[in-house]
Amino acid sequence: KSQQQRQRMINAMTQIRPDRSRAIAETEVDRYAFSQQTKAELINYFSAIPMTSRHAISRPNDGGKPITLLSQLPRTHTDLLRFMPLRPPRFQPGDQVPGYDYRLEILLGQGGFAEVWKAYHVIQRSQPAVALKFCLDQALLASLKTEIKVYDQLKDHPDPQHLVRLIGTAYSASSPFLVYEYVDGGDLAAWLADFAGKTPSVRDVVRILKMTARALAYAHRRGIVHRDLKPANLLVTRDGNVKVADFGIGAITASADAKRERGKSVTGATFLQGAYSPMYSDPRQRAGEAPEPRFDVYALGVIAYQLLIGDVTREIGPAWRAELEENNIPP
């Protein structure tokens, strides 16, 4: 297919309604002699692809109507993964959360044991959309409780526009979940896509980094280290504000130094060994050293390099300084 054909195909796919998507998946999967359980899982998986693809092409400046840019076409295996579900989703569009007045609309993301959905309140329809983050493994509820404690520590941030806000909790639900504000502009990779393959200006990059650093500095002063900072966890609003997301599941810890300051650390915070993204992890973090703010500083440096290069898939290497000089980045 030509690039333009692929572009049109993705655009068309992202507009398929959930019921139509499920009907297509059922028809195709039924052609094969799988067990009923396998068929059900495959149908759930394939029917979710239009949702995840729509989320993959969303951008802060798309006006709420995502259209695939040529720069967003998947060219590598890693690119393609952004369009695909991690696994068959636990829930389906249109499901109402049992015992709660929220109806699920679109799958926003999946993690190690989490599933995030955009949802609406079924009774108070004037309420804005929210993001519901479900914990899918009862054995890891302790980390969810830690996430609640951490966000309670962060609630008094003087620049709240730079942190995703925790609105409510449902820790005792049959599928425990947290209610976060919904950020509709996409993540940092989506922000970069708005430049349509061109490198953003140094001024634009510095603005992004400053907003992120303000949020991180406040968290560090409160004894909290993110430990999984990456473009997917930096959300950008329609008006260009950066919001740091996901201080939680699998990525929460209290700073070892802050623990000594009574009343400032997060009691019960957990350090999940190996719960990080290797591309953005400080060598000390990979070696299993005690978590500290420099882990986040290192990750922010990698993100800065990627933004200045204009490619969030690029791994930083020994020649990073020369690469920036070649791109005329000021010292």
Side-chain angles (χ1 to χ4, degrees):
K1 306 293 183 183
S2 69
Q3 285 192 328
Q4 288 72 23
Q5 286 174 315
R6 293 166 61 206
Q7 192 177 27
R8 288 194 295 269
M9 292 168 69
I10 291 176
N11 287 341
M13 180 179 64
T14 62
Q15 298 305 313
I16 297 175
R17 299 189 315 273
D19 56 342
R20 175 61 179 152
S21 175
R22 190 166 190 84
I24 294 171
E26 288 173 349
T27 299
E28 295 304 318
V29 169
D30 201 44
R31 298 175 187 270
Y32 300 90
F34 296 121
S35 69
Q36 290 304 309
Q37 180 180 349
T38 300
K39 282 186 176 182
E41 291 179 351
L42 287 172
I43 290 167
N44 283 347
Y45 183 84
F46 288 127
S47 62
I49 292 176
M51 286 190 294
T52 51
S53 295
R54 180 180 174 85
H55 187 61
I57 66 171
S58 296
R59 309 184 314 279
N61 293 328
D62 63 16
K65 298 180 179 179
I67 297 177
T68 313
L69 300 176
L70 290 177
S71 60
Q72 291 178 303
L73 292 176
R75 294 175 173 80
T76 67
H77 176 74
T78 302
D79 291 343
L80 188 62
L81 290 178
R82 294 190 300 109
F83 290 77
M84 310 292 286
L86 182 65
R87 57 178 171 265
R90 176 76 61 89
F91 308 103
Q92 294 297 312
D95 285 355
Q96 183 166 335
V97 182
Y100 294 86
D101 296 327
Y102 289 108
R103 191 177 305 281
L104 306 181
E105 183 186 63
I106 187 171
L107 178 65
L108 298 176
Q110 295 169 306
F113 57 97
E115 201 162 282
V116 183
W117 285 80
K118 179 182 178 183
Y120 286 96
H121 200 282
V122 295
I123 299 175
Q124 296 175 302
R125 297 184 181 274
S126 60
Q127 282 194 9
V130 293
L132 303 186
K133 182 176 184 179
F134 293 90
C135 177
L136 304 181
D137 189 337
Q138 296 286 330
L140 294 170
L141 276 176
S143 288
L144 194 69
K145 184 177 287 187
T146 296
E147 184 169 356
I148 296 170
K149 291 180 180 179
V150 165
Y151 273 93
D152 191 53
Q153 291 280 340
L154 296 175
K155 67 183 179 182
D156 296 324
H157 193 298
D159 293 311
Q161 72 270 24
H162 299 319
L163 283 171
V164 172
R165 184 165 54 95
L166 178 64
I167 297 172
T169 66
Y171 185 79
S172 300
S174 56
S175 292
F177 65 93
L178 305 180
V179 184
Y180 283 102
E181 68 170 312
Y182 170 64
V183 181
D184 63 351
D187 60 20
L188 201 56
W191 175 84
L192 190 61
D194 260 330
F195 292 88
K198 297 180 180 179
T199 305
S201 70
V202 172
R203 182 184 296 272
D204 286 329
V205 173
V206 169
R207 184 177 59 84
I208 293 292
L209 297 175
K210 280 186 174 180
M211 288 187 282
T212 307
R214 287 191 195 106
L216 290 175
Y218 179 79
H220 294 165
R221 288 194 297 271
R222 304 291 290 182
I224 299 165
V225 179
H226 192 291
R227 282 193 62 252
D228 195 25
L229 196 69
K230 56 188 177 184
N233 287 335
L234 296 178
L235 307 183
V236 185
T237 65
R238 299 285 181 195
D239 56 2
N241 268 325
V242 173
K243 288 180 175 283
V244 180
D246 203 0
F247 274 87
I249 294 181
I252 287 293
T253 182
S255 163
D257 291 335
K259 282 182 179 178
R260 302 188 188 101
E261 299 182 44
R262 181 176 299 176
K264 292 186 179 181
S265 64
V266 181
T267 58
T270 56
F271 171 37
L272 300 185
Q273 187 76 21
Y276 56 78
S277 300
M279 185 184 294
Y280 302 94
S281 60
D282 186 293
R284 301 172 189 82
Q285 185 174 359
R286 294 194 292 270
E289 291 191 14
E292 53 182 301
R294 73 175 69 187
F295 290 2
D296 293 343
V297 176
Y298 181 93
L300 188 59
V302 176
I303 292 169
Y305 160 81
Q306 291 178 327
L307 294 181
L308 293 167
I309 292 293
D311 183 358
V312 293
T313 67
R314 181 89 69 91
E315 292 198 38
I316 194 167
W320 63 268
R321 187 183 298 273
E323 291 180 77
L324 294 180
E325 290 175 352
E326 290 172 4
N327 280 266
N328 300 314
I329 304 302

